[in-house]
Amino acid sequence: MKSVEPVGRRCVLLKLTDDRKPLDEYIFPGQFVQVRVDGSPSTFLRRPISICFVDYPANELWLLVAVVGDGTRRLSRLTPGERLNCVLPLGNQFYWDFLSDTKVLLVGGGVGVAPLLFMGSEITIPDVEKVFLLGARTKDDLLLLDEFRKYGRVEVTTEDGSMGVKGFVTDHPLLQQEHFDRILTCGPTPMMKAVARYARERDIDCQVSLENMMACGLGACLCCVEKTVRGNLCVCKDGPVFNVKELLWQS
């Protein structure tokens, strides 16, 4: 553990390193880790956490953690030098076959913004325009805005109107005023379903990173199953990233 940094009102950013080997480019945006939580007697299962960023020069892996229970509370109290047992990388990735004139919208809500930072940093194709649309309850719940601004234009919404446009991400006027060739999204399921409806209505390719409850992370326990056009699939093994056309979500 290199550092534990508070972010927003209820999140921490864990920066990890591996002194045994470098973090080579085998980790991809959209993948996640399964973290073992030691020192928390009530936490029996590993916790799935999206990979937020990989800083290759610093050999750092970033995990953005929302502190909501005993397990994540223990993670928030880690100190530099402590070891964290992680299984990684797990799951599939966002795919990108972008053309040079592609305009990409990356939509995140709450702690669901995490994988979009890594994705945005990895899109380095010339002339691909990246727009981040990030939503939260209040301005104090918006996360890592300065980091996102390093990789593209940032627009925000807050439910109370304390920063940016008041309302949900789907209330932002850019959705009506601008054209996008692809949408990538992660966050609360109602938000992703609303974004998916927007994309379907406009025939825009849209990928979602699902946050179903996971236990094993390997497709063995079947607790994260999602209904798709290919049958019931495990989000941890067959996802977490899916094209919305695969999902049996209702409009």
Short mmCIF file of all heavy atoms in Angstrom, two decimals, residues 132-180:
data_model
loop_
_atom_site.label_atom_id
_atom_site.label_comp_id
_atom_site.label_asym_id
_atom_site.label_seq_id
_atom_site.Cartn_x
_atom_site.Cartn_y
_atom_site.Cartn_z
N PHE A 132 -16.53 13.61 -20.63
CA PHE A 132 -16.96 12.93 -19.41
C PHE A 132 -18.19 13.64 -18.86
O PHE A 132 -18.17 14.86 -18.66
CB PHE A 132 -15.86 12.95 -18.35
CG PHE A 132 -14.60 12.22 -18.74
CD1 PHE A 132 -13.50 12.92 -19.20
CD2 PHE A 132 -14.51 10.85 -18.63
CE1 PHE A 132 -12.33 12.26 -19.56
CE2 PHE A 132 -13.35 10.17 -18.96
CZ PHE A 132 -12.26 10.88 -19.44
N LEU A 133 -19.25 12.89 -18.62
CA LEU A 133 -20.45 13.42 -17.99
C LEU A 133 -20.60 12.70 -16.66
O LEU A 133 -20.90 11.51 -16.62
CB LEU A 133 -21.67 13.19 -18.88
CG LEU A 133 -23.02 13.61 -18.32
CD1 LEU A 133 -23.04 15.07 -17.89
CD2 LEU A 133 -24.14 13.34 -19.34
N LEU A 134 -20.37 13.43 -15.57
CA LEU A 134 -20.28 12.81 -14.25
C LEU A 134 -21.37 13.37 -13.34
O LEU A 134 -21.54 14.59 -13.24
CB LEU A 134 -18.90 13.09 -13.64
CG LEU A 134 -17.70 12.77 -14.54
CD1 LEU A 134 -16.40 13.16 -13.87
CD2 LEU A 134 -17.69 11.29 -14.93
N GLY A 135 -22.09 12.48 -12.67
CA GLY A 135 -23.19 12.90 -11.81
C GLY A 135 -23.00 12.47 -10.37
O GLY A 135 -22.32 11.48 -10.08
N ALA A 136 -23.61 13.23 -9.47
CA ALA A 136 -23.56 12.91 -8.04
C ALA A 136 -24.71 13.61 -7.34
O ALA A 136 -25.41 14.44 -7.93
CB ALA A 136 -22.24 13.34 -7.43
N ARG A 137 -24.90 13.28 -6.06
CA ARG A 137 -25.97 13.92 -5.30
C ARG A 137 -25.67 15.39 -5.05
O ARG A 137 -26.53 16.25 -5.20
CB ARG A 137 -26.18 13.19 -3.98
CG ARG A 137 -26.77 11.79 -4.14
CD ARG A 137 -26.98 11.12 -2.81
NE ARG A 137 -27.59 9.79 -2.98
CZ ARG A 137 -27.85 8.97 -1.98
NH1 ARG A 137 -27.57 9.32 -0.73
NH2 ARG A 137 -28.39 7.79 -2.22
N THR A 138 -24.45 15.69 -4.60
CA THR A 138 -24.02 17.06 -4.31
C THR A 138 -22.62 17.27 -4.85
O THR A 138 -21.95 16.31 -5.26
CB THR A 138 -24.01 17.33 -2.79
OG1 THR A 138 -22.87 16.68 -2.21
CG2 THR A 138 -25.28 16.82 -2.12
N LYS A 139 -22.15 18.51 -4.83
CA LYS A 139 -20.79 18.79 -5.30
C LYS A 139 -19.74 18.06 -4.47
O LYS A 139 -18.66 17.73 -4.97
CB LYS A 139 -20.54 20.29 -5.28
CG LYS A 139 -20.52 20.93 -3.90
CD LYS A 139 -20.20 22.41 -3.97
CE LYS A 139 -20.15 23.03 -2.58
NZ LYS A 139 -19.83 24.48 -2.64
N ASP A 140 -20.04 17.81 -3.20
CA ASP A 140 -19.09 17.11 -2.34
C ASP A 140 -19.00 15.63 -2.66
O ASP A 140 -18.10 14.93 -2.16
CB ASP A 140 -19.47 17.29 -0.87
CG ASP A 140 -19.38 18.74 -0.42
OD1 ASP A 140 -18.47 19.44 -0.90
OD2 ASP A 140 -20.22 19.17 0.39
N ASP A 141 -19.91 15.13 -3.47
CA ASP A 141 -19.90 13.72 -3.85
C ASP A 141 -19.28 13.49 -5.23
O ASP A 141 -19.14 12.34 -5.67
CB ASP A 141 -21.32 13.15 -3.85
CG ASP A 141 -21.94 13.20 -2.46
OD1 ASP A 141 -21.30 12.73 -1.51
OD2 ASP A 141 -23.06 13.73 -2.33
N LEU A 142 -18.93 14.56 -5.92
CA LEU A 142 -18.25 14.43 -7.21
C LEU A 142 -16.80 14.00 -6.95
O LEU A 142 -16.14 14.52 -6.04
CB LEU A 142 -18.29 15.75 -7.97
CG LEU A 142 -19.68 16.13 -8.50
CD1 LEU A 142 -19.70 17.61 -8.90
CD2 LEU A 142 -20.07 15.26 -9.69
N LEU A 143 -16.31 13.07 -7.76
CA LEU A 143 -15.05 12.42 -7.45
C LEU A 143 -14.01 12.60 -8.56
O LEU A 143 -14.33 12.45 -9.75
CB LEU A 143 -15.28 10.92 -7.24
CG LEU A 143 -16.34 10.56 -6.18
CD1 LEU A 143 -16.63 9.06 -6.23
CD2 LEU A 143 -15.87 10.97 -4.79
N LEU A 144 -12.80 12.96 -8.16
CA LEU A 144 -11.62 12.97 -9.04
C LEU A 144 -11.77 13.86 -10.27
O LEU A 144 -11.24 13.56 -11.34
CB LEU A 144 -11.30 11.54 -9.48
CG LEU A 144 -11.03 10.52 -8.36
CD1 LEU A 144 -10.87 9.13 -8.96
CD2 LEU A 144 -9.80 10.91 -7.55
N LEU A 145 -12.46 14.97 -10.13
CA LEU A 145 -12.70 15.83 -11.29
C LEU A 145 -11.39 16.32 -11.92
O LEU A 145 -11.26 16.38 -13.14
CB LEU A 145 -13.56 17.04 -10.89
CG LEU A 145 -15.00 16.74 -10.48
CD1 LEU A 145 -15.75 18.05 -10.24
CD2 LEU A 145 -15.72 15.90 -11.53
N ASP A 146 -10.42 16.68 -11.09
CA ASP A 146 -9.15 17.17 -11.64
C ASP A 146 -8.43 16.09 -12.43
O ASP A 146 -7.76 16.38 -13.43
CB ASP A 146 -8.24 17.68 -10.51
CG ASP A 146 -8.73 18.99 -9.92
OD1 ASP A 146 -9.52 19.68 -10.59
OD2 ASP A 146 -8.33 19.31 -8.78
N GLU A 147 -8.56 14.84 -12.00
CA GLU A 147 -7.95 13.74 -12.75
C GLU A 147 -8.64 13.55 -14.10
O GLU A 147 -7.99 13.37 -15.13
CB GLU A 147 -8.00 12.44 -11.94
CG GLU A 147 -7.16 12.44 -10.69
CD GLU A 147 -5.67 12.54 -10.99
OE1 GLU A 147 -5.25 12.10 -12.08
OE2 GLU A 147 -4.94 13.08 -10.14
N PHE A 148 -9.97 13.62 -14.11
CA PHE A 148 -10.71 13.46 -15.36
C PHE A 148 -10.36 14.57 -16.35
O PHE A 148 -10.28 14.33 -17.56
CB PHE A 148 -12.21 13.45 -15.10
CG PHE A 148 -12.74 12.12 -14.63
CD1 PHE A 148 -13.02 11.91 -13.29
CD2 PHE A 148 -12.94 11.09 -15.53
CE1 PHE A 148 -13.50 10.68 -12.85
CE2 PHE A 148 -13.43 9.86 -15.10
CZ PHE A 148 -13.70 9.65 -13.75
N ARG A 149 -10.16 15.77 -15.84
CA ARG A 149 -9.87 16.90 -16.73
C ARG A 149 -8.55 16.74 -17.47
O ARG A 149 -8.31 17.41 -18.48
CB ARG A 149 -9.87 18.21 -15.92
CG ARG A 149 -11.26 18.61 -15.41
CD ARG A 149 -11.25 19.97 -14.75
NE ARG A 149 -12.57 20.33 -14.25
CZ ARG A 149 -12.90 20.41 -12.97
NH1 ARG A 149 -11.98 20.16 -12.03
NH2 ARG A 149 -14.12 20.73 -12.60
N LYS A 150 -7.69 15.86 -17.00
CA LYS A 150 -6.43 15.60 -17.70
C LYS A 150 -6.64 14.89 -19.02
O LYS A 150 -5.77 14.91 -19.90
CB LYS A 150 -5.50 14.76 -16.82
CG LYS A 150 -5.04 15.42 -15.54
CD LYS A 150 -4.18 14.47 -14.72
CE LYS A 150 -3.74 15.11 -13.41
NZ LYS A 150 -2.93 14.15 -12.58
N TYR A 151 -7.79 14.25 -19.18
CA TYR A 151 -7.99 13.38 -20.33
C TYR A 151 -9.15 13.76 -21.22
O TYR A 151 -9.39 13.11 -22.24
CB TYR A 151 -8.18 11.93 -19.83
CG TYR A 151 -7.03 11.47 -18.98
CD1 TYR A 151 -7.17 11.34 -17.60
CD2 TYR A 151 -5.78 11.22 -19.55
CE1 TYR A 151 -6.09 10.94 -16.81
CE2 TYR A 151 -4.71 10.82 -18.77
CZ TYR A 151 -4.87 10.69 -17.40
OH TYR A 151 -3.80 10.31 -16.63
N GLY A 152 -9.87 14.82 -20.87
CA GLY A 152 -10.98 15.23 -21.73
C GLY A 152 -11.82 16.30 -21.08
O GLY A 152 -11.55 16.76 -19.97
N ARG A 153 -12.83 16.71 -21.80
CA ARG A 153 -13.78 17.70 -21.31
C ARG A 153 -14.67 17.08 -20.24
O ARG A 153 -15.10 15.94 -20.38
CB ARG A 153 -14.62 18.21 -22.47
CG ARG A 153 -15.62 19.29 -22.12
CD ARG A 153 -16.30 19.77 -23.38
NE ARG A 153 -17.75 19.66 -23.30
CZ ARG A 153 -18.53 19.33 -24.30
NH1 ARG A 153 -18.03 19.04 -25.48
NH2 ARG A 153 -19.85 19.28 -24.15
N VAL A 154 -14.94 17.83 -19.18
CA VAL A 154 -15.74 17.32 -18.07
C VAL A 154 -17.00 18.17 -17.89
O VAL A 154 -16.91 19.40 -17.78
CB VAL A 154 -14.93 17.30 -16.76
CG1 VAL A 154 -15.82 16.90 -15.59
CG2 VAL A 154 -13.75 16.35 -16.87
N GLU A 155 -18.15 17.50 -17.89
CA GLU A 155 -19.42 18.14 -17.56
C GLU A 155 -20.01 17.42 -16.35
O GLU A 155 -19.82 16.20 -16.21
CB GLU A 155 -20.39 18.04 -18.75
CG GLU A 155 -19.90 18.67 -20.04
CD GLU A 155 -19.90 20.19 -20.01
OE1 GLU A 155 -20.49 20.77 -19.07
OE2 GLU A 155 -19.34 20.80 -20.94
N VAL A 156 -20.70 18.17 -15.48
CA VAL A 156 -21.21 17.54 -14.27
C VAL A 156 -22.68 17.89 -14.03
O VAL A 156 -23.17 18.93 -14.49
CB VAL A 156 -20.39 17.93 -13.02
CG1 VAL A 156 -18.93 17.55 -13.19
CG2 VAL A 156 -20.53 19.42 -12.71
N THR A 157 -23.34 17.00 -13.30
CA THR A 157 -24.68 17.27 -12.80
C THR A 157 -24.71 16.91 -11.31
O THR A 157 -23.97 16.02 -10.86
CB THR A 157 -25.76 16.44 -13.51
OG1 THR A 157 -25.57 15.05 -13.23
CG2 THR A 157 -25.73 16.66 -15.01
N THR A 158 -25.52 17.62 -10.56
CA THR A 158 -25.75 17.28 -9.16
C THR A 158 -27.25 17.34 -8.89
O THR A 158 -27.94 18.21 -9.42
CB THR A 158 -25.02 18.23 -8.19
OG1 THR A 158 -25.33 19.59 -8.54
CG2 THR A 158 -23.52 18.02 -8.24
N GLU A 159 -27.72 16.44 -8.08
CA GLU A 159 -29.16 16.37 -7.83
C GLU A 159 -29.67 17.61 -7.11
O GLU A 159 -30.82 18.02 -7.30
CB GLU A 159 -29.49 15.12 -7.02
CG GLU A 159 -29.26 13.83 -7.80
CD GLU A 159 -29.56 12.59 -6.98
OE1 GLU A 159 -30.41 12.67 -6.07
OE2 GLU A 159 -28.95 11.54 -7.25
N ASP A 160 -28.81 18.23 -6.29
CA ASP A 160 -29.26 19.42 -5.56
C ASP A 160 -28.86 20.71 -6.25
O ASP A 160 -29.15 21.81 -5.75
CB ASP A 160 -28.72 19.40 -4.12
CG ASP A 160 -27.20 19.56 -4.06
OD1 ASP A 160 -26.54 19.51 -5.12
OD2 ASP A 160 -26.68 19.74 -2.94
N GLY A 161 -28.20 20.63 -7.39
CA GLY A 161 -27.81 21.83 -8.13
C GLY A 161 -26.63 22.58 -7.55
O GLY A 161 -26.36 23.71 -7.95
N SER A 162 -25.89 21.97 -6.63
CA SER A 162 -24.77 22.66 -6.00
C SER A 162 -23.57 22.82 -6.92
O SER A 162 -22.67 23.61 -6.65
CB SER A 162 -24.34 21.93 -4.72
OG SER A 162 -24.09 20.56 -4.95
N MET A 163 -23.54 22.07 -8.03
CA MET A 163 -22.49 22.24 -9.03
C MET A 163 -23.00 21.71 -10.36
O MET A 163 -23.70 20.70 -10.42
CB MET A 163 -21.21 21.51 -8.63
CG MET A 163 -20.03 21.75 -9.55
SD MET A 163 -18.50 21.00 -8.90
CE MET A 163 -17.35 21.48 -10.18
N GLY A 164 -22.68 22.41 -11.42
CA GLY A 164 -23.10 21.97 -12.74
C GLY A 164 -24.60 22.07 -12.93
O GLY A 164 -25.28 22.90 -12.33
N VAL A 165 -25.14 21.22 -13.78
CA VAL A 165 -26.57 21.20 -14.08
C VAL A 165 -27.32 20.47 -12.97
O VAL A 165 -26.88 19.43 -12.49
CB VAL A 165 -26.81 20.50 -15.43
CG1 VAL A 165 -28.30 20.32 -15.69
CG2 VAL A 165 -26.17 21.29 -16.56
N LYS A 166 -28.45 21.03 -12.56
CA LYS A 166 -29.25 20.39 -11.52
C LYS A 166 -30.04 19.23 -12.11
O LYS A 166 -30.69 19.35 -13.15
CB LYS A 166 -30.21 21.39 -10.90
CG LYS A 166 -31.03 20.80 -9.74
CD LYS A 166 -31.90 21.86 -9.06
CE LYS A 166 -32.66 21.25 -7.89
NZ LYS A 166 -33.50 22.26 -7.20
N GLY A 167 -29.95 18.08 -11.45
CA GLY A 167 -30.70 16.91 -11.89
C GLY A 167 -29.80 15.71 -12.08
O GLY A 167 -28.70 15.64 -11.52
N PHE A 168 -30.28 14.77 -12.89
CA PHE A 168 -29.51 13.56 -13.19
C PHE A 168 -28.68 13.77 -14.45
O PHE A 168 -28.86 14.76 -15.18
CB PHE A 168 -30.46 12.38 -13.38
CG PHE A 168 -31.36 12.12 -12.19
CD1 PHE A 168 -32.73 12.23 -12.30
CD2 PHE A 168 -30.81 11.77 -10.96
CE1 PHE A 168 -33.55 11.98 -11.21
CE2 PHE A 168 -31.62 11.52 -9.87
CZ PHE A 168 -33.00 11.64 -9.99
N VAL A 169 -27.79 12.81 -14.73
CA VAL A 169 -26.94 12.97 -15.92
C VAL A 169 -27.78 13.09 -17.18
O VAL A 169 -27.40 13.81 -18.12
CB VAL A 169 -25.94 11.80 -16.04
CG1 VAL A 169 -24.87 11.88 -14.96
CG2 VAL A 169 -26.63 10.45 -16.03
N THR A 170 -28.91 12.41 -17.23
CA THR A 170 -29.75 12.46 -18.42
C THR A 170 -30.48 13.80 -18.57
O THR A 170 -31.12 14.04 -19.60
CB THR A 170 -30.79 11.32 -18.40
OG1 THR A 170 -31.40 11.26 -17.11
CG2 THR A 170 -30.11 9.99 -18.69
N ASP A 171 -30.36 14.66 -17.57
CA ASP A 171 -30.95 16.01 -17.66
C ASP A 171 -29.99 17.01 -18.28
O ASP A 171 -30.37 18.16 -18.54
CB ASP A 171 -31.37 16.51 -16.27
CG ASP A 171 -32.49 15.68 -15.67
OD1 ASP A 171 -33.42 15.32 -16.42
OD2 ASP A 171 -32.43 15.38 -14.46
N HIS A 172 -28.74 16.61 -18.51
CA HIS A 172 -27.76 17.57 -19.01
C HIS A 172 -28.07 17.92 -20.47
O HIS A 172 -28.31 17.03 -21.30
CB HIS A 172 -26.35 17.00 -18.91
CG HIS A 172 -25.29 18.06 -18.95
ND1 HIS A 172 -24.99 18.77 -20.09
CD2 HIS A 172 -24.47 18.54 -17.97
CE1 HIS A 172 -24.02 19.65 -19.82
NE2 HIS A 172 -23.69 19.53 -18.55
N PRO A 173 -28.08 19.21 -20.82
CA PRO A 173 -28.46 19.61 -22.18
C PRO A 173 -27.53 19.12 -23.27
O PRO A 173 -27.93 19.05 -24.44
CB PRO A 173 -28.45 21.15 -22.10
CG PRO A 173 -27.65 21.50 -20.90
CD PRO A 173 -27.85 20.38 -19.93
N LEU A 174 -26.29 18.74 -22.93
CA LEU A 174 -25.39 18.28 -23.99
C LEU A 174 -25.93 17.04 -24.68
O LEU A 174 -25.61 16.77 -25.86
CB LEU A 174 -23.99 18.03 -23.44
CG LEU A 174 -23.68 16.80 -22.57
CD1 LEU A 174 -23.42 15.57 -23.42
CD2 LEU A 174 -22.48 17.06 -21.70
N LEU A 175 -26.78 16.26 -24.00
CA LEU A 175 -27.34 15.06 -24.61
C LEU A 175 -28.28 15.40 -25.76
O LEU A 175 -28.50 14.59 -26.66
CB LEU A 175 -28.08 14.22 -23.57
CG LEU A 175 -27.21 13.60 -22.47
CD1 LEU A 175 -28.08 12.83 -21.49
CD2 LEU A 175 -26.13 12.71 -23.04
N GLN A 176 -28.85 16.60 -25.72
CA GLN A 176 -29.74 17.05 -26.79
C GLN A 176 -29.01 17.91 -27.81
O GLN A 176 -29.44 18.02 -28.96
CB GLN A 176 -30.91 17.83 -26.19
CG GLN A 176 -31.66 17.11 -25.08
CD GLN A 176 -32.19 15.75 -25.50
OE1 GLN A 176 -32.62 15.58 -26.64
NE2 GLN A 176 -32.16 14.79 -24.58
N GLN A 177 -27.92 18.51 -27.39
CA GLN A 177 -27.25 19.49 -28.24
C GLN A 177 -26.08 18.93 -29.04
O GLN A 177 -25.64 19.54 -30.00
CB GLN A 177 -26.75 20.64 -27.36
CG GLN A 177 -27.85 21.41 -26.66
CD GLN A 177 -27.32 22.40 -25.64
OE1 GLN A 177 -26.11 22.48 -25.38
NE2 GLN A 177 -28.22 23.16 -25.04
N GLU A 178 -25.57 17.77 -28.64
CA GLU A 178 -24.37 17.24 -29.30
C GLU A 178 -24.59 15.81 -29.77
O GLU A 178 -25.43 15.09 -29.23
CB GLU A 178 -23.18 17.29 -28.33
CG GLU A 178 -22.87 18.70 -27.83
CD GLU A 178 -21.63 18.75 -26.93
OE1 GLU A 178 -20.69 17.95 -27.17
OE2 GLU A 178 -21.62 19.58 -26.01
N HIS A 179 -23.83 15.42 -30.75
CA HIS A 179 -23.89 14.05 -31.28
C HIS A 179 -22.70 13.25 -30.78
O HIS A 179 -21.57 13.75 -30.75
CB HIS A 179 -23.87 14.06 -32.81
CG HIS A 179 -23.67 12.69 -33.39
ND1 HIS A 179 -24.67 11.75 -33.42
CD2 HIS A 179 -22.55 12.10 -33.93
CE1 HIS A 179 -24.20 10.63 -33.97
NE2 HIS A 179 -22.92 10.82 -34.28
N PHE A 180 -22.96 12.00 -30.40
CA PHE A 180 -21.91 11.10 -29.94
C PHE A 180 -21.95 9.81 -30.75
O PHE A 180 -23.01 9.33 -31.12
CB PHE A 180 -22.07 10.81 -28.45
CG PHE A 180 -21.95 12.02 -27.58
CD1 PHE A 180 -23.08 12.72 -27.16
CD2 PHE A 180 -20.71 12.50 -27.20
CE1 PHE A 180 -22.98 13.84 -26.38
CE2 PHE A 180 -20.60 13.64 -26.42
CZ PHE A 180 -21.73 14.31 -26.01
#
